[in-house]
Amino acid sequence: MAVADVIKANVFSERMPDMPPVLREMWQVAFMYRRKYSNPTDKDPFEFFKAAWNDALFITRAYNDNETMQGLMLEAYSDIERQWKVYEARREAAEAG
């Protein structure tokens, strides 16, 4: 049984309503955005984060600065930063070791 099925069975006793199409679309766009910036390897940090920020701004503006979209983009951008820090720490450890 998948984890989501276990959670549904134990937390949500009643059937959940379908997600509104625009909300589903926002989550899909956020996922695609995060996937686009999933590999920071051998990238110039300034250009990498500049492009990520510009794309996040473009996406939120395309959704009329919707707060949900802003939140999704902020979380995705923060995750990109987190991944970058992990990548940099591993690279520095490899160079030092």
Side-chain angles (χ1 to χ4, degrees):
M1 181 179 269
V3 173
D5 293 332
V6 172
I7 292 170
K8 285 179 190 177
N10 289 289
V11 177
F12 305 109
S13 59
E14 296 184 26
R15 185 179 182 281
M16 298 292 291
D18 288 337
M19 185 181 290
V22 70
L23 189 56
R24 182 182 310 271
E25 179 183 301
M26 286 180 186
W27 278 90
Q28 183 178 17
V29 168
F31 176 79
M32 290 185 301
Y33 166 79
R34 179 62 188 95
R35 188 171 54 187
K36 178 179 179 179
Y37 293 99
S38 66
N39 184 10
T41 306
D42 300 327
K43 304 273 187 340
D44 174 73
F46 179 78
E47 292 302 321
F48 181 77
F49 284 104
K50 179 180 167 187
W53 185 253
N54 286 337
D55 282 352
L57 288 176
F58 176 82
I59 291 167
T60 57
R61 288 178 183 145
Y63 284 92
N64 297 315
D65 294 319
N66 176 283
E67 287 182 26
T68 300
M69 195 74 241
Q70 288 176 347
L72 288 169
M73 289 294 95
L74 181 58
E75 287 301 316
Y77 189 86
S78 295
D79 195 52
I80 293 164
E81 286 182 325
R82 179 205 53 81
Q83 184 181 7
W84 179 265
K85 289 175 184 174
V86 169
Y87 165 75
E88 282 296 300
R90 288 181 182 160
R91 186 185 61 75
E92 289 171 6
E95 287 177 0

